[in-house]
Amino acid sequence: MNSCETSYKVIQSRIRAAAAQRNHPVDLLAVSKTRATADMCALAALGQRAFGENYVQEALAKQRVLADLSLEWHLIGPLQSNKSRDTARHFDWLQTLDRPKLVEPLNRFRETATPLKVLIQVNIDDEASKSGCAPDRIDALADVVAAAPRLTLRGLMAIPAPHPDFDRRRRAFARMREQFDRLRQNYPGADTLSMGMSEDFELAIAEGATMVRVGSALFEPRPR
Ligand SMILES: *Cc1c(COP(=O)(O)O)cnc(C)c1O
């Protein structure tokens, strides 16, 4: 096995082991920002379909190269309003919706038959520097998304503060899980809670994540 195959298998089995404790499947999103398309190709050859990108332009360039692979593209970086058209047209998922203003242009520019799958990004640690909506604004934003015919509300996403104390991270994940359970009372179709990265995805799964976003643990170290 080459090293890419080794790390892919290791991450998959760690996810499976953590998910088995919770009794529900957990999806792996391969975070490919700044990674070469050749490395993404290698992962796709091993069966990985879902890739997360932070920058719209970078993703579009990669999509042209990898068009034949029918991958699933997730935008996981902050969405600027001038990118709503490209996002609506070229992504399968938007994980970072955090304000109602973006819903109308996304809905208008979405032209394909399948709706854009949307996660609301929540600023769960109330960090001033972070994007994401405040927990008490989730409901209002969910209602706006649900009213847009070309968008489908699929759940919540968060990037908790990378606190060195993992117990603090665990509590942030647990608060997200509470918000997710509440959302599902009104929107049972919301089936995705996206949280956990290379350092803490097992902790996130233990607290109820259904999708983890893993970059550095999957790919070779970035060239310096
Ligand atoms: C980069 C990134 C990840 C992956 O982080 P790693 O620590 O490399 O696994 C996950 N989610 C978001 C939003 C990111 O920007």
Side-chain angles (χ1 to χ4, degrees):
M1 281 199 290
N2 61 31
S3 63
C4 162
E5 187 168 1
T6 308
S7 47
Y8 189 55
K9 297 244 152 90
V10 167
I11 296 295
Q12 278 188 316
S13 71
R14 285 172 58 190
I15 290 174
R16 266 198 306 272
Q21 308 281 321
R22 295 285 311 195
N23 251 323
H24 65 70
V26 173
D27 295 322
L28 168 61
L29 180 72
V31 174
S32 45
K33 58 168 177 259
T34 75
R35 306 294 177 176
T37 50
D39 296 335
M40 297 172 66
C41 229
L43 267 190
L46 298 170
Q48 180 64 29
R49 297 257 75 80
F51 287 85
E53 289 284 341
N54 293 58
Y55 308 102
V56 171
Q57 291 317 314
E58 180 183 342
L60 262 49
K62 289 173 170 177
Q63 288 173 0
R64 284 190 283 275
V65 178
L66 301 173
D68 290 345
L69 296 179
S70 66
L71 302 177
E72 182 182 281
W73 297 88
H74 295 232
L75 183 65
I76 60 170
L79 175 58
Q80 292 144 359
S81 51
N82 65 352
K83 294 288 191 308
S84 51
R85 173 180 150 155
D86 280 336
T87 301
R89 292 198 174 156
H90 299 288
F91 284 83
D92 301 292
W93 290 69
L94 167 63
Q95 295 209 4
T96 50
L97 185 74
D98 63 357
R99 50 200 192 279
K101 207 180 70 183
L102 296 173
V103 170
E104 187 279 322
L106 287 167
N107 187 68
R108 179 158 39 89
F109 288 124
R110 184 72 179 181
E111 285 166 341
T112 54
T114 43
L116 178 68
K117 300 170 189 71
V118 171
L119 302 182
I120 292 173
Q121 182 180 359
V122 181
N123 187 350
I124 196 66
D125 282 318
D126 193 23
E127 292 176 280
S129 60
K130 274 264 179 70
S131 36
C133 82
D136 63 6
R137 302 220 326 267
I138 295 173
D139 287 350
L141 184 50
D143 292 345
V144 175
V145 177
R150 296 196 182 116
L151 308 187
T152 306
L153 179 65
R154 291 294 295 271
L156 303 178
M157 177 271 210
I159 315 169
H163 206 280
D165 175 0
F166 270 54
D167 211 53
R168 296 256 307 249
R169 294 197 203 187
R170 176 190 289 280
R171 291 201 294 276
F173 290 143
R175 289 199 302 280
M176 279 302 296
R177 173 55 192 263
E178 284 164 21
Q179 295 295 339
F180 182 57
D181 287 343
R182 252 177 18 80
L183 179 74
R184 282 163 56 84
Q185 288 168 13
N186 288 335
Y187 296 104
D191 57 0
T192 304
L193 178 56
S194 168
M195 59 186 192
M197 318 202 293
S198 291
E199 271 197 331
D200 54 18
F201 66 85
E202 282 145 323
L203 194 60
I205 293 170
E207 295 299 333
T210 71
M211 182 185 290
V212 294
R213 309 180 307 266
V214 180
S216 38
L218 261 186
F219 292 93
E220 299 283 297
R222 282 189 186 81
R224 303 190 140 218

mmCIF file of all heavy atoms in Angstrom, residues 65-99:
data_model
loop_
_atom_site.group_PDB
_atom_site.id
_atom_site.type_symbol
_atom_site.label_atom_id
_atom_site.label_comp_id
_atom_site.label_asym_id
_atom_site.label_seq_id
_atom_site.Cartn_x
_atom_site.Cartn_y
_atom_site.Cartn_z
ATOM 1 N N VAL A 65 -10.447 20.016 -13.927
ATOM 2 C CA VAL A 65 -9.472 18.929 -14.101
ATOM 3 C C VAL A 65 -10.089 17.563 -13.781
ATOM 4 O O VAL A 65 -9.801 16.567 -14.442
ATOM 5 C CB VAL A 65 -8.241 19.177 -13.189
ATOM 6 C CG1 VAL A 65 -7.246 18.036 -13.314
ATOM 7 C CG2 VAL A 65 -7.585 20.504 -13.533
ATOM 8 N N LEU A 66 -10.943 17.534 -12.762
ATOM 9 C CA LEU A 66 -11.454 16.252 -12.246
ATOM 10 C C LEU A 66 -12.880 15.958 -12.709
ATOM 11 O O LEU A 66 -13.564 15.110 -12.122
ATOM 12 C CB LEU A 66 -11.395 16.255 -10.711
ATOM 13 C CG LEU A 66 -9.999 16.472 -10.098
ATOM 14 C CD1 LEU A 66 -10.085 16.641 -8.583
ATOM 15 C CD2 LEU A 66 -9.082 15.298 -10.440
ATOM 16 N N ALA A 67 -13.312 16.644 -13.765
ATOM 17 C CA ALA A 67 -14.716 16.558 -14.199
ATOM 18 C C ALA A 67 -15.184 15.127 -14.431
ATOM 19 O O ALA A 67 -16.345 14.800 -14.176
ATOM 20 C CB ALA A 67 -14.918 17.394 -15.458
ATOM 21 N N ASP A 68 -14.302 14.267 -14.904
ATOM 22 C CA ASP A 68 -14.718 12.905 -15.248
ATOM 23 C C ASP A 68 -15.003 12.019 -14.047
ATOM 24 O O ASP A 68 -15.559 10.935 -14.188
ATOM 25 C CB ASP A 68 -13.622 12.221 -16.081
ATOM 26 C CG ASP A 68 -13.521 12.837 -17.461
ATOM 27 O OD1 ASP A 68 -14.464 13.565 -17.833
ATOM 28 O OD2 ASP A 68 -12.498 12.610 -18.126
ATOM 29 N N LEU A 69 -14.610 12.465 -12.850
ATOM 30 C CA LEU A 69 -14.694 11.575 -11.688
ATOM 31 C C LEU A 69 -16.040 11.645 -10.966
ATOM 32 O O LEU A 69 -16.261 10.901 -10.022
ATOM 33 C CB LEU A 69 -13.567 11.907 -10.696
ATOM 34 C CG LEU A 69 -12.154 11.673 -11.233
ATOM 35 C CD1 LEU A 69 -11.119 12.051 -10.171
ATOM 36 C CD2 LEU A 69 -11.961 10.218 -11.636
ATOM 37 N N SER A 70 -16.921 12.535 -11.410
ATOM 38 C CA SER A 70 -18.213 12.765 -10.734
ATOM 39 C C SER A 70 -18.086 12.765 -9.208
ATOM 40 O O SER A 70 -18.686 11.957 -8.508
ATOM 41 C CB SER A 70 -19.299 11.798 -11.208
ATOM 42 O OG SER A 70 -19.021 10.482 -10.858
ATOM 43 N N LEU A 71 -17.290 13.698 -8.731
ATOM 44 C CA LEU A 71 -17.110 13.875 -7.291
ATOM 45 C C LEU A 71 -18.231 14.741 -6.735
ATOM 46 O O LEU A 71 -18.966 15.388 -7.476
ATOM 47 C CB LEU A 71 -15.750 14.541 -7.023
ATOM 48 C CG LEU A 71 -14.535 13.779 -7.552
ATOM 49 C CD1 LEU A 71 -13.255 14.559 -7.285
ATOM 50 C CD2 LEU A 71 -14.449 12.382 -6.958
ATOM 51 N N GLU A 72 -18.338 14.753 -5.411
ATOM 52 C CA GLU A 72 -19.321 15.601 -4.728
ATOM 53 C C GLU A 72 -18.543 16.728 -4.054
ATOM 54 O O GLU A 72 -17.629 16.475 -3.284
ATOM 55 C CB GLU A 72 -20.037 14.736 -3.686
ATOM 56 C CG GLU A 72 -21.125 15.444 -2.924
ATOM 57 C CD GLU A 72 -21.723 14.492 -1.885
ATOM 58 O OE1 GLU A 72 -22.547 13.640 -2.261
ATOM 59 O OE2 GLU A 72 -21.336 14.602 -0.702
ATOM 60 N N TRP A 73 -18.939 17.974 -4.349
ATOM 61 C CA TRP A 73 -18.164 19.143 -3.903
ATOM 62 C C TRP A 73 -18.893 19.905 -2.801
ATOM 63 O O TRP A 73 -20.048 20.276 -2.961
ATOM 64 C CB TRP A 73 -17.899 20.066 -5.093
ATOM 65 C CG TRP A 73 -17.055 19.399 -6.140
ATOM 66 C CD1 TRP A 73 -17.509 18.634 -7.184
ATOM 67 C CD2 TRP A 73 -15.625 19.420 -6.241
ATOM 68 N NE1 TRP A 73 -16.433 18.173 -7.923
ATOM 69 C CE2 TRP A 73 -15.269 18.645 -7.373
ATOM 70 C CE3 TRP A 73 -14.607 20.018 -5.490
ATOM 71 C CZ2 TRP A 73 -13.944 18.449 -7.764
ATOM 72 C CZ3 TRP A 73 -13.283 19.832 -5.883
ATOM 73 C CH2 TRP A 73 -12.967 19.059 -7.011
ATOM 74 N N HIS A 74 -18.157 20.145 -1.720
ATOM 75 C CA HIS A 74 -18.704 20.879 -0.578
ATOM 76 C C HIS A 74 -17.921 22.174 -0.410
ATOM 77 O O HIS A 74 -16.693 22.134 -0.328
ATOM 78 C CB HIS A 74 -18.533 20.073 0.712
ATOM 79 C CG HIS A 74 -19.316 18.787 0.758
ATOM 80 N ND1 HIS A 74 -20.148 18.465 1.799
ATOM 81 C CD2 HIS A 74 -19.387 17.740 -0.104
ATOM 82 C CE1 HIS A 74 -20.697 17.272 1.581
ATOM 83 N NE2 HIS A 74 -20.243 16.804 0.439
ATOM 84 N N LEU A 75 -18.608 23.300 -0.311
ATOM 85 C CA LEU A 75 -17.912 24.536 0.057
ATOM 86 C C LEU A 75 -17.909 24.642 1.575
ATOM 87 O O LEU A 75 -18.966 24.653 2.215
ATOM 88 C CB LEU A 75 -18.587 25.765 -0.561
ATOM 89 C CG LEU A 75 -17.832 27.076 -0.261
ATOM 90 C CD1 LEU A 75 -16.446 27.088 -0.903
ATOM 91 C CD2 LEU A 75 -18.628 28.293 -0.736
ATOM 92 N N ILE A 76 -16.697 24.694 2.161
ATOM 93 C CA ILE A 76 -16.585 24.743 3.621
ATOM 94 C C ILE A 76 -15.900 26.024 4.093
ATOM 95 O O ILE A 76 -15.680 26.200 5.285
ATOM 96 C CB ILE A 76 -15.843 23.506 4.183
ATOM 97 C CG1 ILE A 76 -14.424 23.414 3.617
ATOM 98 C CG2 ILE A 76 -16.616 22.226 3.887
ATOM 99 C CD1 ILE A 76 -13.569 22.359 4.301
ATOM 100 N N GLY A 77 -15.531 26.914 3.167
ATOM 101 C CA GLY A 77 -14.968 28.206 3.536
ATOM 102 C C GLY A 77 -16.069 29.249 3.595
ATOM 103 O O GLY A 77 -17.176 29.015 3.109
ATOM 104 N N PRO A 78 -15.775 30.402 4.187
ATOM 105 C CA PRO A 78 -16.774 31.470 4.279
ATOM 106 C C PRO A 78 -17.278 31.867 2.895
ATOM 107 O O PRO A 78 -16.502 31.937 1.948
ATOM 108 C CB PRO A 78 -16.017 32.634 4.920
ATOM 109 C CG PRO A 78 -14.749 32.070 5.449
ATOM 110 C CD PRO A 78 -14.478 30.793 4.745
ATOM 111 N N LEU A 79 -18.587 32.091 2.798
ATOM 112 C CA LEU A 79 -19.161 32.454 1.503
ATOM 113 C C LEU A 79 -19.320 33.965 1.409
ATOM 114 O O LEU A 79 -20.038 34.580 2.197
ATOM 115 C CB LEU A 79 -20.524 31.770 1.323
ATOM 116 C CG LEU A 79 -21.304 32.156 0.076
ATOM 117 C CD1 LEU A 79 -20.501 31.874 -1.190
ATOM 118 C CD2 LEU A 79 -22.637 31.430 0.025
ATOM 119 N N GLN A 80 -18.623 34.562 0.438
ATOM 120 C CA GLN A 80 -18.831 35.981 0.164
ATOM 121 C C GLN A 80 -19.971 36.129 -0.821
ATOM 122 O O GLN A 80 -20.131 35.285 -1.703
ATOM 123 C CB GLN A 80 -17.553 36.585 -0.419
ATOM 124 C CG GLN A 80 -16.421 36.641 0.586
ATOM 125 C CD GLN A 80 -15.061 36.376 -0.032
ATOM 126 O OE1 GLN A 80 -14.956 36.120 -1.229
ATOM 127 N NE2 GLN A 80 -14.037 36.412 0.796
ATOM 128 N N SER A 81 -20.725 37.212 -0.685
ATOM 129 C CA SER A 81 -21.939 37.311 -1.507
ATOM 130 C C SER A 81 -21.621 37.356 -2.998
ATOM 131 O O SER A 81 -22.391 36.855 -3.805
ATOM 132 C CB SER A 81 -22.782 38.507 -1.080
ATOM 133 O OG SER A 81 -21.974 39.654 -1.024
ATOM 134 N N ASN A 82 -20.447 37.899 -3.363
ATOM 135 C CA ASN A 82 -20.128 37.919 -4.799
ATOM 136 C C ASN A 82 -19.761 36.531 -5.349
ATOM 137 O O ASN A 82 -19.522 36.386 -6.536
ATOM 138 C CB ASN A 82 -19.013 38.939 -5.098
ATOM 139 C CG ASN A 82 -17.688 38.560 -4.439
ATOM 140 O OD1 ASN A 82 -17.623 37.624 -3.642
ATOM 141 N ND2 ASN A 82 -16.647 39.292 -4.765
ATOM 142 N N LYS A 83 -19.724 35.525 -4.475
ATOM 143 C CA LYS A 83 -19.458 34.156 -4.931
ATOM 144 C C LYS A 83 -20.721 33.288 -4.893
ATOM 145 O O LYS A 83 -20.644 32.075 -5.123
ATOM 146 C CB LYS A 83 -18.375 33.515 -4.053
ATOM 147 C CG LYS A 83 -17.000 34.158 -4.167
ATOM 148 C CD LYS A 83 -16.377 33.810 -5.516
ATOM 149 C CE LYS A 83 -14.915 34.163 -5.642
ATOM 150 N NZ LYS A 83 -14.553 35.540 -5.307
ATOM 151 N N SER A 84 -21.863 33.896 -4.618
ATOM 152 C CA SER A 84 -23.056 33.056 -4.452
ATOM 153 C C SER A 84 -23.475 32.405 -5.771
ATOM 154 O O SER A 84 -23.961 31.280 -5.792
ATOM 155 C CB SER A 84 -24.207 33.849 -3.831
ATOM 156 O OG SER A 84 -24.420 35.031 -4.534
ATOM 157 N N ARG A 85 -23.215 33.094 -6.873
ATOM 158 C CA ARG A 85 -23.577 32.516 -8.163
ATOM 159 C C ARG A 85 -22.732 31.274 -8.484
ATOM 160 O O ARG A 85 -23.275 30.206 -8.805
ATOM 161 C CB ARG A 85 -23.395 33.587 -9.239
ATOM 162 C CG ARG A 85 -23.564 33.080 -10.628
ATOM 163 C CD ARG A 85 -23.351 34.221 -11.578
ATOM 164 N NE ARG A 85 -22.827 33.714 -12.817
ATOM 165 C CZ ARG A 85 -22.964 34.338 -13.981
ATOM 166 N NH1 ARG A 85 -23.584 35.503 -14.040
ATOM 167 N NH2 ARG A 85 -22.476 33.813 -15.060
ATOM 168 N N ASP A 86 -21.428 31.380 -8.369
ATOM 169 C CA ASP A 86 -20.568 30.215 -8.632
ATOM 170 C C ASP A 86 -20.835 29.088 -7.637
ATOM 171 O O ASP A 86 -20.772 27.913 -7.986
ATOM 172 C CB ASP A 86 -19.090 30.612 -8.571
ATOM 173 C CG ASP A 86 -18.631 31.278 -9.860
ATOM 174 O OD1 ASP A 86 -19.265 31.038 -10.919
ATOM 175 O OD2 ASP A 86 -17.655 32.052 -9.816
ATOM 176 N N THR A 87 -21.127 29.460 -6.408
ATOM 177 C CA THR A 87 -21.423 28.432 -5.405
ATOM 178 C C THR A 87 -22.697 27.680 -5.765
ATOM 179 O O THR A 87 -22.738 26.453 -5.742
ATOM 180 C CB THR A 87 -21.569 29.082 -4.015
ATOM 181 O OG1 THR A 87 -20.350 29.753 -3.706
ATOM 182 C CG2 THR A 87 -21.855 28.044 -2.944
ATOM 183 N N ALA A 88 -23.733 28.427 -6.123
ATOM 184 C CA ALA A 88 -25.007 27.797 -6.468
ATOM 185 C C ALA A 88 -24.868 26.906 -7.700
ATOM 186 O O ALA A 88 -25.520 25.872 -7.816
ATOM 187 C CB ALA A 88 -26.065 28.865 -6.705
ATOM 188 N N ARG A 89 -24.018 27.301 -8.616
ATOM 189 C CA ARG A 89 -23.915 26.564 -9.874
ATOM 190 C C ARG A 89 -22.957 25.395 -9.816
ATOM 191 O O ARG A 89 -23.096 24.439 -10.582
ATOM 192 C CB ARG A 89 -23.469 27.514 -10.983
ATOM 193 C CG ARG A 89 -24.557 28.519 -11.289
ATOM 194 C CD ARG A 89 -24.368 29.177 -12.628
ATOM 195 N NE ARG A 89 -25.532 30.021 -12.895
ATOM 196 C CZ ARG A 89 -25.519 31.062 -13.706
ATOM 197 N NH1 ARG A 89 -24.409 31.384 -14.345
ATOM 198 N NH2 ARG A 89 -26.617 31.759 -13.891
ATOM 199 N N HIS A 90 -21.945 25.458 -8.968
ATOM 200 C CA HIS A 90 -20.858 24.475 -9.090
ATOM 201 C C HIS A 90 -20.612 23.609 -7.858
ATOM 202 O O HIS A 90 -19.688 22.808 -7.856
ATOM 203 C CB HIS A 90 -19.561 25.192 -9.472
ATOM 204 C CG HIS A 90 -19.660 25.906 -10.792
ATOM 205 N ND1 HIS A 90 -19.696 25.221 -11.992
ATOM 206 C CD2 HIS A 90 -19.780 27.217 -11.099
ATOM 207 C CE1 HIS A 90 -19.803 26.103 -12.986
ATOM 208 N NE2 HIS A 90 -19.863 27.323 -12.467
ATOM 209 N N PHE A 91 -21.411 23.782 -6.826
ATOM 210 C CA PHE A 91 -21.227 22.930 -5.644
ATOM 211 C C PHE A 91 -22.466 22.082 -5.403
ATOM 212 O O PHE A 91 -23.569 22.431 -5.837
ATOM 213 C CB PHE A 91 -20.936 23.786 -4.401
ATOM 214 C CG PHE A 91 -19.524 24.319 -4.368
ATOM 215 C CD1 PHE A 91 -19.183 25.473 -5.067
ATOM 216 C CD2 PHE A 91 -18.532 23.649 -3.670
ATOM 217 C CE1 PHE A 91 -17.883 25.954 -5.070
ATOM 218 C CE2 PHE A 91 -17.226 24.120 -3.663
ATOM 219 C CZ PHE A 91 -16.896 25.275 -4.359
ATOM 220 N N ASP A 92 -22.265 20.954 -4.712
ATOM 221 C CA ASP A 92 -23.386 20.103 -4.314
ATOM 222 C C ASP A 92 -23.882 20.487 -2.917
ATOM 223 O O ASP A 92 -25.069 20.386 -2.636
ATOM 224 C CB ASP A 92 -22.941 18.633 -4.318
ATOM 225 C CG ASP A 92 -22.441 18.218 -5.695
ATOM 226 O OD1 ASP A 92 -23.270 18.151 -6.617
ATOM 227 O OD2 ASP A 92 -21.219 18.024 -5.862
ATOM 228 N N TRP A 93 -22.924 20.889 -2.089
ATOM 229 C CA TRP A 93 -23.237 21.272 -0.708
ATOM 230 C C TRP A 93 -22.602 22.628 -0.394
ATOM 231 O O TRP A 93 -21.466 22.892 -0.794
ATOM 232 C CB TRP A 93 -22.638 20.281 0.300
ATOM 233 C CG TRP A 93 -23.248 18.920 0.366
ATOM 234 C CD1 TRP A 93 -23.188 17.943 -0.589
ATOM 235 C CD2 TRP A 93 -23.982 18.357 1.473
ATOM 236 N NE1 TRP A 93 -23.828 16.812 -0.147
ATOM 237 C CE2 TRP A 93 -24.320 17.036 1.118
ATOM 238 C CE3 TRP A 93 -24.364 18.852 2.732
ATOM 239 C CZ2 TRP A 93 -25.041 16.195 1.983
ATOM 240 C CZ3 TRP A 93 -25.078 18.014 3.576
ATOM 241 C CH2 TRP A 93 -25.422 16.701 3.203
ATOM 242 N N LEU A 94 -23.331 23.422 0.380
ATOM 243 C CA LEU A 94 -22.764 24.614 1.016
ATOM 244 C C LEU A 94 -22.863 24.388 2.524
ATOM 245 O O LEU A 94 -23.960 24.245 3.056
ATOM 246 C CB LEU A 94 -23.564 25.861 0.613
ATOM 247 C CG LEU A 94 -23.266 27.117 1.444
ATOM 248 C CD1 LEU A 94 -21.824 27.573 1.277
ATOM 249 C CD2 LEU A 94 -24.240 28.239 1.087
ATOM 250 N N GLN A 95 -21.700 24.333 3.192
ATOM 251 C CA GLN A 95 -21.714 24.027 4.629
ATOM 252 C C GLN A 95 -21.630 25.282 5.491
ATOM 253 O O GLN A 95 -21.659 25.181 6.715
ATOM 254 C CB GLN A 95 -20.529 23.109 4.986
ATOM 255 C CG GLN A 95 -20.604 21.738 4.351
ATOM 256 C CD GLN A 95 -19.913 20.673 5.190
ATOM 257 O OE1 GLN A 95 -19.436 20.919 6.290
ATOM 258 N NE2 GLN A 95 -19.864 19.466 4.656
ATOM 259 N N THR A 96 -21.520 26.445 4.865
ATOM 260 C CA THR A 96 -21.182 27.644 5.643
ATOM 261 C C THR A 96 -22.212 28.766 5.503
ATOM 262 O O THR A 96 -21.857 29.936 5.575
ATOM 263 C CB THR A 96 -19.795 28.171 5.217
ATOM 264 O OG1 THR A 96 -19.762 28.271 3.787
ATOM 265 C CG2 THR A 96 -18.695 27.226 5.669
ATOM 266 N N LEU A 97 -23.468 28.414 5.309
ATOM 267 C CA LEU A 97 -24.468 29.477 5.261
ATOM 268 C C LEU A 97 -24.619 30.076 6.656
ATOM 269 O O LEU A 97 -24.846 29.351 7.628
ATOM 270 C CB LEU A 97 -25.818 28.926 4.791
ATOM 271 C CG LEU A 97 -26.862 30.034 4.617
ATOM 272 C CD1 LEU A 97 -26.590 30.854 3.368
ATOM 273 C CD2 LEU A 97 -28.273 29.485 4.603
ATOM 274 N N ASP A 98 -24.477 31.405 6.758
ATOM 275 C CA ASP A 98 -24.584 32.002 8.095
ATOM 276 C C ASP A 98 -25.424 33.266 8.124
ATOM 277 O O ASP A 98 -25.504 33.922 9.164
ATOM 278 C CB ASP A 98 -23.194 32.250 8.699
ATOM 279 C CG ASP A 98 -22.380 33.252 7.889
ATOM 280 O OD1 ASP A 98 -22.860 33.720 6.830
ATOM 281 O OD2 ASP A 98 -21.255 33.567 8.320
ATOM 282 N N ARG A 99 -26.030 33.632 6.982
ATOM 283 C CA ARG A 99 -26.904 34.802 7.039
ATOM 284 C C ARG A 99 -28.002 34.710 5.976
ATOM 285 O O ARG A 99 -27.784 34.182 4.887
ATOM 286 C CB ARG A 99 -26.114 36.097 6.888
ATOM 287 C CG ARG A 99 -25.166 36.143 5.711
ATOM 288 C CD ARG A 99 -24.107 37.243 5.953
ATOM 289 N NE ARG A 99 -23.327 37.526 4.738
ATOM 290 C CZ ARG A 99 -22.304 36.795 4.318
ATOM 291 N NH1 ARG A 99 -21.955 35.694 4.956
ATOM 292 N NH2 ARG A 99 -21.644 37.125 3.232
#
